[in-house]
């Protein structure tokens, strides 16, 4: 059984388009929404479109939402769980290929930085930050993965068991922690090329403070000071 996990905060308008497109591409997958108590009725919209919805009233953060949703997916009996952004930057058209690749891997990453992958509509500043973050992660943590910051992924049950150890990675740093734990455990990781498109609705939640938190986390992880 397959699941598609989408963390949300104020993404009601985007979900109206995203959920039908997910169903169109993977009709046999269940959709899980983990919403951080959005005031714009994101949860209500998701439920009306047939998603399984969990509303967190006292927690915040992308990483903690992903960890929560992945573990819930295991409880629900899913063998493979895809994670993707709600802002339409991750095109659901890639889901069939990624789930197919997951039959031979424990983690499949929709990659912007391998042959065939690319980014559209991103300003130069975001491109520099993203590319620099991946270079830094590979250098400090000795990762083989080319796009360790991509949130478009498919996890196996074995991989999800490992992310339980990412308890201190509540923000964007969760993506790095997950790759690091899975790669160091010797599980197989496959990257498939995707085209990433910048969001057209709503605002990005990646600010300078979160970038700094990510950088500090990677440093601590490289020094063995963080889980």
């Amino acid at each position: 059984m397959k699941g598609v996990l989408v963390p949300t905060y104020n993404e009601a308008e985007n979900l109206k388009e995203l959920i039908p497109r997910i169903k169109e591409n993977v009709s046999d997958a269940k959709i899980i929404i983990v919403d951080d108590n959005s005031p714009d009725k994101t949860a209500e919209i998701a439920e009306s479109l047939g998603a399984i919805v969990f509303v967190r009233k006292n927690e915040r953060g992308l990483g903690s939402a992903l960890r929560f949703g992945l573990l819930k997916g295991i409880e629900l009996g899913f063998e493979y769980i895809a994670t993707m952004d709600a802002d339409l930057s991750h095109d659901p058209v890639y889901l069939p290929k990624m789930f197919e690749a997951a039959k031979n891997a424990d983690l499949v990453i929709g990659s912007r930085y391998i042959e065939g992958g690319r980014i559209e509509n991103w300003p130069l500043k975001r491109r520099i930050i993203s590319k620099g973050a991946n270079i830094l992660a590979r250098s400090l943590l000795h990762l083989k993965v080319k796009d360790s910051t991509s949130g478009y992924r498919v996890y196996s049950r074995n991989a999800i068991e490992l992310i339980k150890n990412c308890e201190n990675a509540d923000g964007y740093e969760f993506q790095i922690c997950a790759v690091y734990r899975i790669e160091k455990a010797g599980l197989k990781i496959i990257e498939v090329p995707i085209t990433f498109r910048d969001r057209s609705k709503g605002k990005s939640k990646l600010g300078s403070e979160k970038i700094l938190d990510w950088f500090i986390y990677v440093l601590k992880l490289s020094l063995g000071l963080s889980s």
Side-chain angles (χ1 to χ4, degrees), residues 47-210:
E47 286 181 343
S48 72
L49 293 169
I52 301 168
V53 180
F54 296 97
V55 177
R56 307 191 310 161
K57 295 186 177 180
N58 300 313
E59 294 179 81
R60 290 288 186 274
L62 174 65
S64 62
L66 286 169
R67 189 170 59 247
F68 175 90
L70 287 167
L71 294 177
K72 283 293 182 183
I74 289 294
E75 291 178 13
L76 292 169
F78 295 125
E79 291 296 324
Y80 300 99
I81 304 175
T83 63
M84 62 191 306
D85 293 346
D87 60 8
L88 304 174
S89 59
H90 296 150
D91 194 330
V93 73
Y94 297 109
L95 284 170
K97 183 177 181 179
M98 291 174 68
F99 275 120
E100 184 63 26
K103 294 178 181 179
N104 298 304
D106 285 288
L107 176 63
V108 177
I109 298 176
S111 179
R112 301 158 292 183
Y113 299 126
I114 61 171
E115 184 176 354
R118 61 196 182 102
I119 296 171
E120 292 183 352
N121 302 326
W122 248 11
L124 180 60
K125 180 181 177 181
R126 288 296 299 273
R127 289 175 183 269
I128 292 172
I129 290 172
S130 177
K131 193 71 173 180
N134 276 284
I135 291 171
L136 186 67
R138 287 202 306 274
S139 299
L140 292 179
L141 302 177
H142 309 292
L143 299 176
K144 297 176 182 177
V145 168
K146 293 291 192 299
D147 194 350
S148 57
T149 60
S150 172
Y152 201 2
R153 304 178 173 187
V154 176
Y155 293 85
S156 71
R157 293 179 69 92
N158 287 338
I160 293 170
E161 287 296 325
L162 290 175
I163 62 93
K164 290 179 180 179
N165 296 324
C166 296
E167 294 177 348
N168 297 323
D170 288 336
Y172 287 84
E173 59 270 18
F174 175 85
Q175 312 293 14
I176 291 291
C177 181
V179 168
Y180 180 77
R181 296 299 173 198
I182 292 166
E183 190 171 297
K184 296 308 177 186
L187 300 186
K188 187 174 181 179
I189 301 175
I190 293 176
E191 292 183 85
V192 299
I194 64 165
T195 296
F196 178 96
R197 296 181 177 88
D198 197 15
R199 67 159 61 231
S200 58
K201 300 176 183 176
K203 294 181 179 180
S204 171
K205 299 164 182 72
L206 179 62
S208 57
E209 183 179 347
K210 292 180 179 179

